[in-house]
Amino acid sequence: QISLKESGPTLMKSTQTLTLTCTLSGLSLSASGVGVGWIRQPPGKALEWLAFIYWDDDQRYSPSLKSRLTITRDTSLNQVVLTLTNMDPVDTATYYCALRSGSYSGLDSWGQGTPVTVSS
Amino acid sequence: SFELTQPPSVSVSPGQTATITCSGDNLGDKYVCWYQQKPGQSPILVIHQDSRRPSEIPARFSGSNSGNTATLTISGTQAWDEADYYCQVWDSSLVVFGGGTKLSVL
């Protein structure tokens, strides 16, 4: 059974760097067609895509946040790590990781999400 | 960058058909996915590749995509279908979400 779990800090201060880890179980990050992305959702607002990493290590970023984001993977641990620099209160949100397994053309598995609050 | 536009809200009576639209330039040239998100829960994929349903999604959910508009249709809408619905496309390997539509079953 495929599952994803996010981990990381819940409280941050302005200017700090956020590091979140997504641990994938039940499927290898290196399997052809597999990709993992990060999406966030501020309280009461819409989903916002942040970054995506593909099975071949191709990395893609939201144009609006590209300068602050880095996505990497550790295939030995089957983990994907997202860093977001220079945190601000507007970055307060629930952060989700989601999987494109290749079975479907969408994000077919999502983690439970991890809330991050940024104070000034 | 590519943009997707959804109506903020749609209302439907129980048992009736709900229609949620998603618009974008030449959207019919792309594959559209739809996600359902209930309060306090993670999104789930309900439609991919415009009209295909994951095996666990009821047949009441269907989708179409042509021209500049994709449509999610929920037939025989039930109270538990009340949720936020988001459309999504892949644009040059980037992920684009619509702004979401709140479906109210009244």
Side-chain angles (χ1 to χ4, degrees):
Chain A
Q1 185 176 353
I2 294 172
S3 66
L4 303 96
K5 186 172 178 59
E6 306 91 347
S7 58
T10 56
L11 296 174
M12 302 283 295
K13 294 186 177 181
S14 292
T15 75
Q16 289 183 326
T17 294
L18 174 67
T19 300
L20 294 173
T21 301
C22 175
T23 301
L24 174 63
S25 302
L27 185 64
S28 170
L29 282 173
S30 301
S32 181
V34 169
V36 171
W38 286 94
I39 299 97
R40 71 181 180 181
Q41 186 172 38
K45 295 189 177 181
L47 301 173
E48 179 185 18
W49 172 67
L50 301 176
F52 206 85
I53 191 163
Y54 291 86
W55 78 97
D56 57 359
D57 206 29
D58 183 21
Q59 299 139 31
R60 302 286 172 153
Y61 297 98
S62 166
S64 63
L65 291 166
K66 185 174 183 178
S67 63
R68 299 173 54 203
L69 288 166
T70 303
I71 190 169
T72 59
R73 63 178 189 167
D74 184 328
T75 54
S76 65
L77 296 176
N78 225 31
Q79 291 179 334
V80 174
V81 176
L82 181 79
T83 62
L84 179 61
T85 61
N86 195 24
M87 292 290 282
D88 182 270
V90 300
D91 296 313
T92 294
T94 295
Y95 287 74
Y96 296 98
C97 63
L99 170 73
R100 177 178 176 174
S101 70
S103 298
Y104 304 122
S105 66
L107 301 170
D108 45 280
S109 294
W110 292 64
Q112 63 188 18
T114 186
V116 177
T117 301
V118 186
S119 64
S120 55
Chain B
S1 59
F2 196 79
E3 293 186 358
L4 295 172
T5 301
Q6 298 181 236
S9 62
V10 167
S11 298
V12 65
S13 300
Q16 298 304 301
T17 297
T19 301
I20 300 173
T21 59
C22 174
S23 61
D25 287 344
N26 297 312
L27 185 57
D29 294 339
K30 303 181 185 298
Y31 279 138
V32 176
C33 299
W34 290 92
Y35 302 86
Q36 177 194 68
Q37 186 182 32
K38 296 182 179 180
Q41 298 183 17
S42 303
I44 62 169
L45 180 69
V46 295
I47 293 289
H48 71 105
Q49 218 167 313
D50 294 339
S51 59
R52 293 178 176 266
R53 285 179 293 107
S55 56
E56 66 273 20
I57 302 301
R60 302 184 292 104
F61 289 82
S62 63
S64 63
N65 183 21
S66 179
N68 295 321
T69 304
T71 302
L72 173 68
T73 302
I74 308 172
S75 304
T77 307
Q78 308 295 318
W80 53 85
D81 296 328
E82 188 163 282
D84 294 326
Y85 290 86
Y86 295 89
C87 58
Q88 177 255 315
V89 298
W90 302 89
D91 179 49
S92 301
S93 298
L94 305 184
V95 179
V96 181
F97 285 102
T101 297
K102 181 176 181 60
L103 177 66
S104 298
V105 183
L106 304 174

